[in-house]
Amino acid sequence: MKFTADHEWIRIEGDLATVGITTHARDQLGDVVYVGLPEVGATVAQGDAISVVESVKAASDVYAPLSGEIVEINEALNGAPEQVSADPQGEGWFFKIRLSEPAQLEALLDEAAYQASVG
């Protein structure tokens, strides 16, 4: 698993990456009440704001951690955004992206570096 400084996590499986927000981000947001997901088929660049998560406290953008094409979204979040609150780094994933520039993985944080950045 890799992480961004913007509090997204990335799980790589071949040329696909599953993306969501970290437990730390969830803790800062509080109870999630809405998730706006990107369109399947959208081509995104690393750093693009492509999703939004709203909680009882705030609304925050979710950024593309890597460049590529959105190939799947977590449809379950449309009817149950609380899954993000319950399991942010598991069932509360947001989208899957097919990587177009795998070298971008080098710039992501490992878990120890991410924890140090938020600790």
Side-chain angles (χ1 to χ4, degrees), residues 58-96:
S60 294
D61 287 328
V62 176
Y63 300 93
L66 303 160
S67 298
E69 178 186 355
I70 304 298
V71 295
E72 186 179 346
I73 59 171
N74 188 350
E75 297 278 359
L77 297 183
N78 288 329
E82 63 274 6
Q83 284 186 354
V84 175
S85 297
D87 190 13
Q89 291 182 209
E91 293 301 312
W93 62 275
F94 282 37
F95 56 86
K96 294 185 181 185

Side-chain angles (χ1 to χ4, degrees), residues 1-2 8-13 15-21 65-66 71-72 74 88-99:
M1 201 177 253
K2 296 285 191 171
E8 290 92 20
W9 59 263
I10 304 95
R11 185 178 303 114
I12 306 298
E13 301 161 23
D15 67 344
L16 286 181
T18 303
V19 179
I21 64 168
L66 303 160
V71 295
E72 186 179 346
N74 188 350
Q89 291 182 209
E91 293 301 312
W93 62 275
F94 282 37
F95 56 86
K96 294 185 181 185
I97 186 169
R98 184 172 316 283
L99 308 181

Side-chain angles (χ1 to χ4, degrees), residues 10-53:
I10 304 95
R11 185 178 303 114
I12 306 298
E13 301 161 23
D15 67 344
L16 286 181
T18 303
V19 179
I21 64 168
T22 64
T23 301
H24 175 79
R26 184 269 325 262
D27 291 347
Q28 298 302 304
L29 286 167
D31 292 333
V32 173
V33 296
Y34 171 78
V35 176
L37 297 168
E39 294 286 322
V40 171
T43 300
V44 299
Q46 185 178 41
D48 286 354
I50 61 169
S51 189
V52 66
V53 59

